[in-house]
Structures are given as C-alpha cells and as structure tokens.
Amino acid sequence: MNRSSLSLAVVLASLAQHAAAGGFIEDSKASLSLRNFYINQDNREGAALPSRQEEWGQGFLLNYSSGYTEGTVGVGVDALGLLGVKLDSGKGRHYNPTSASYGGTVFPSDNDGRAKDDFSSLGLTGKVRVSRTEARIGTLQPKLPVVTFNDGRLLPQTFEGGQVTSSEIDGLTLVGGQLEHAKGRNSSDARGLSIGGANNARTGQFVNTFYFAGGDYKVRDNLLAQYYYGNLEDFYTQHFVGLTHNWALPVGALKSDLRYFHSDSDGKNASAAGRAEGFRSSGNWAASDPDRYEVDNRTWSALFTYSLGGHAASLGYQQVSGDSAFPFLNQGDGATAYLITDRQIGKFLSAGERTWVAEYGYDFASLGVPGLRAVATYLKGSNIETQGSDQGEWERDFRLDYVLQDGPLKGLGLSWRNAALRSDAARDQDENRLILSYTLTLL
C-alpha cells in the first residue's frame, strides 16, 4: 500500500465514526456528466502509418462531494467514478498494432492492439478541514501552473497524492503537496510520472515523487501575483512567476497575463550516468555535447486580451530558451502544459521556439443568441533549434460551442473543434472533434 492509500484509509476510518454528524450528508453534492466524444485525426504528410486515427465513445463521469462533519476539525470524502464505452473504432484507426503504446487516441488497447470495449476507474479522496485550511488525500485534479490535469478526450486525467490548500490570510491562497501517480485519459491504470524524452511506454523511466508548492496573492482587486515551485524527482526543478491584471478602460477592458518559468535538472537527469539510464529530456544538443538530454529551460510569455461587448481579441508572444524543451509532467498518454501555446494539437514548446499567438472570440449573446460562442486562433512558431537549419510550424484552430438555454434539454452542450497543424518538426495533421455534453444534478 503506497503512502497516499494508507493516509486515505486513515481519513476514511475517521469519517466512518462521524458520518452521522450534521453537515456531512446535508451539504453533499452529486452529479452525473454525460460526454459523447468523436475525434478524427488525419495525418496528411507521408505514407507512414497511421494515415488516420478515428474513435468515438460515450463517457460517464459520476462526481460526488460530501459536506464536512461538524466541529473544529471537519472530515469528508469525495468520489469520482469514470466509465468510457467504445461506440466505434478499428484496429487501423485505433492504431496501436503491437500494443507498444498505452492506447489509442481515446481508448486503451488490448493485447491484440485493438481498442478495448470499455474502461473505468473509481477515485476516492479523503478531506479534512480546519478553519480555512483543507487537506486532501487520494484522487486529485490539480489546476496549477506547475501541474494541470488534462481533460481533452472522453475522460479526464487524474493524479494520486495529497494536497493542502490554505486561505487563512485574506487575499492569499497557499498550496502545497505531493503527487505519486497519474491515471491517463485513456487508461484505468495508475502509473509513475515522467517527462517528454523519457516516457516511452516500454523503455521509459518513471518516478513516484512530484513535489509542488506556491501561492496566489491578490495584490489588488484587479491584480493577481503567483509563485509556484515544482520538483519531479530525478528529472527537474521548476520555478514559476506570474502576474494577471484586469484593467477596466473607458471603452472595454484589457487583461494582461505574464508568465515566466525557470527549469533545471534534478537528481539523475543532472548526471551523465543518470541520463544514460534513460532519465532524459527532449531538446536539441550535438551528439558530442556532455550535457545532452539535461533539462535546461527558461520560458516566458505575455498574452493581452481586449474585450468589448461580445468581442474578445488576444495577442501574445512566447519564447523558449535553453537546450531542452519546456519540461512538464507528461507520461506519454496526453498531458497539459500551463502555456499560452498549449492548444488543440500542438504545444509550441521546443528548444529555442518563439511563437506568436492571435485569437478572436465572439459571444453571440450580444446578438440575441445566448449560449453560442465562436473562437478562432492562429499560432506561428519559428526558431526551433536543430543540428541543421532552424525549423518552424503553425496551427490554426476554430471552435464553435452552443449550450441550450431552455426546454427539456436545457444545459445540453454541443461543441465542434477543428484544427490544422503544419510543422517542420512534427507530422502535419488535421483534426476534428465533436462533443455532446450534459450534466444531471443528483444531489
């Protein structure tokens, strides 16, 4: 039994003694979210397989959150049940012929390289609250600059570990914790943690310790300052500083989002012997470079968004410096980086890469059609470092969302997401996603 499971067992044992106490039942909430997800990825360049990946499934997300027992120390429990059911796939369209990867784009693979008919998991989280401080042990879905769970497929990614969040001081929120495992968006199994360059499903290196800590400070009502630290044992340490400012102008409003990451090697990745064992980062080095595969990265970005009525226009820039790509928790089965360039297909985080981002969104409520929203995004990356000439890439995304506002299906969401990536550093790809979502409130 790992440390998170043991701690969770202690919390649940305490909970069993106090479950009848007021607040635990009365303040409980439960919902069932239904997600119908279709994806088509057309790999347009070259004759290499797969030329196309295509899968369709139905997801069920049961989310339960208890209240807290009464008293100075309140105890509670949350539960997240996930079930994904295959509606359509095929060995060629799933494309994991030797089962060497964790799965296809949506479903896990069986031993024959085909998509499994269904996959599921149950995550429990014990929680303890004292004053304005809460500790959580078990299944977590963090949304922090140094670790963010991914929700880009049929079912969301989850992590296992512990986290403490404290808001004892007005305007200041402190967060700290440790993660041990991740459960991918196309998997029922919890696995160790890794980064790009070391996350091969069969030969990669994975660890079970990621520390994180930091805080958000509300300097003023319209200014938020952030600092966070992350450490993936034997791979990297990372410092993040961010500022978010909202400025109400005489006409419209301007939001500024500034981010800076400083990442260095840790443990085995800091030594040639450790990197030879497979504790490596992706990036660009000469074959004779003694620091080959070592984490060495600084990434900064600025994104400005002007909004007026239903209009929102954004312009941003991001620069990646150092020999390695931007490091983040990435087990090779779908992950999110807290970057302004992490979009539908690409992430634009290669060593040396410099990226411009332009985006325009419109909320049609201003035209009398509430619930309808469209967003178009364009990214242009250049200066991707290689041992030959520098490379470039671009991506164009379009997203159309609509949520029914009344009637028996009020709250039903429909989303079409279309993207095209053209890259010197990766395979060209066109992608379409169709998503129907609906949430039933149970408690």
Side-chain angles (χ1 to χ4, degrees):
M1 178 179 290
N2 60 46
R3 284 174 289 177
S4 295
S5 300
L6 179 60
S7 300
L8 178 58
V10 173
V11 173
L12 293 178
S14 173
L15 179 61
Q17 300 176 5
H18 300 89
F24 178 84
I25 300 297
E26 291 84 345
D27 296 334
S28 293
K29 298 178 181 179
S31 65
L32 176 63
S33 296
L34 311 176
R35 179 183 297 176
N36 191 279
F37 185 92
Y38 167 83
I39 186 169
N40 181 301
Q41 295 176 323
D42 184 358
N43 301 307
R44 304 184 61 85
E45 183 182 29
L49 296 175
S51 60
R52 177 170 63 104
Q53 289 180 277
E54 183 179 34
E55 296 191 294
W56 178 31
Q58 176 64 50
F60 302 87
L61 297 81
L62 179 62
N63 207 322
Y64 170 78
S65 178
S66 79
Y68 289 91
T69 58
E70 291 184 342
T72 302
V73 180
V75 182
V77 64
D78 294 347
L80 178 63
L82 303 175
L83 170 63
V85 179
K86 181 181 69 177
L87 297 179
D88 185 51
S89 183
K91 189 170 183 178
R93 289 175 291 144
H94 177 70
Y95 200 74
N96 190 13
T98 63
S99 297
S101 300
Y102 293 119
T105 187
V106 174
F107 303 103
S109 304
D110 61 19
N111 292 331
D112 189 38
R114 300 179 184 274
K116 291 186 176 181
D117 291 336
D118 57 71
F119 64 111
S120 61
S121 65
L122 174 63
L124 298 176
T125 307
K127 55 187 182 181
V128 178
R129 184 181 66 185
V130 179
S131 184
R132 294 161 65 182
T133 297
E134 180 189 60
R136 302 173 65 86
I137 296 287
T139 295
L140 303 174
Q141 291 184 301
K143 295 185 70 174
L144 302 170
V146 291
V147 54
T148 299
F149 79 97
N150 182 280
D151 194 18
R153 290 294 186 269
L154 182 66
L155 299 177
Q157 178 191 38
T158 61
F159 291 88
E160 293 178 0
Q163 176 176 315
V164 177
T165 303
S166 179
S167 301
E168 300 292 340
I169 301 174
D170 290 342
L172 176 64
T173 300
L174 299 175
V175 180
Q178 177 184 336
L179 302 178
E180 297 179 348
H181 301 92
K183 193 171 295 181
R185 61 193 187 185
N186 64 351
S187 176
S188 300
D189 303 323
R191 299 185 177 92
L193 308 173
S194 191
I195 65 172
N199 57 14
N200 183 280
R202 289 188 173 180
T203 63
Q205 292 287 357
F206 298 82
V207 298
N208 300 119
T209 305
F210 177 77
Y211 298 107
F212 61 95
D216 298 354
Y217 178 59
K218 199 171 184 179
V219 182
R220 296 194 298 269
D221 288 343
N222 64 348
L223 179 62
L224 178 70
Q226 296 178 293
Y227 168 77
Y228 281 90
Y229 170 81
N231 172 208
L232 182 61
E233 187 178 60
D234 285 325
F235 280 105
Y236 70 89
T237 61
Q238 186 171 82
H239 299 269
F240 167 83
V241 177
L243 285 174
T244 305
H245 182 254
N246 292 283
W247 185 15
L249 301 172
V251 178
L254 179 66
K255 179 181 179 180
S256 303
D257 183 352
L258 308 178
R259 307 178 187 183
Y260 176 75
F261 290 89
H262 187 109
S263 308
D264 285 311
S265 58
D266 177 75
K268 292 187 177 181
N269 178 258
S271 71
R275 296 193 295 274
E277 293 178 31
F279 290 85
R280 300 176 174 181
S281 170
S282 56
N284 174 58
W285 299 267
S288 59
D289 192 332
D291 297 326
R292 194 180 187 194
Y293 305 125
E294 183 175 359
V295 173
D296 171 33
N297 184 274
R298 275 82 57 205
T299 297
W300 68 268
S301 66
L303 181 67
F304 304 96
T305 302
Y306 176 75
S307 57
L308 176 64
H311 304 273
S314 301
L315 182 64
Y317 178 78
Q318 177 176 287
Q319 182 167 315
V320 181
S321 302
D323 291 331
S324 72
F326 175 79
F328 65 105
L329 291 185
N330 178 7
Q331 289 62 247
D333 53 3
T336 294
Y338 187 70
L339 299 176
I340 65 171
T341 56
D342 187 338
R343 300 296 171 146
Q344 182 165 330
I345 301 178
K347 288 182 167 54
F348 294 78
L349 47 66
S350 298
E353 189 160 12
R354 301 174 182 179
T355 306
W356 286 95
V357 183
E359 183 171 275
Y360 173 74
Y362 187 73
D363 187 339
F364 286 83
S366 300
L367 292 180
V369 189
L372 180 62
R373 178 172 171 78
V375 180
T377 309
Y378 180 77
L379 302 94
K380 176 66 173 179
S382 62
N383 205 56
I384 299 174
E385 294 180 0
T386 71
Q387 289 305 297
S389 59
D390 289 349
Q391 299 178 332
E393 57 188 347
W394 61 263
E395 179 173 334
R396 185 265 307 143
D397 298 348
F398 178 75
R399 176 171 174 169
L400 185 65
D401 299 313
Y402 181 65
V403 178
L404 295 180
Q405 301 296 297
D406 49 37
L409 292 178
K410 179 181 178 180
L412 176 68
L414 302 93
S415 180
W416 171 46
R417 305 176 190 182
N418 172 271
L421 173 70
R422 300 294 181 267
S423 176
D424 300 325
R427 195 171 184 182
D428 292 349
Q429 185 178 107
D430 289 347
E431 181 181 281
N432 281 285
R433 305 179 193 177
L434 295 174
I435 306 168
L436 276 70
S437 57
Y438 187 70
T439 299
L440 298 168
T441 300
L442 305 178
L443 290 176

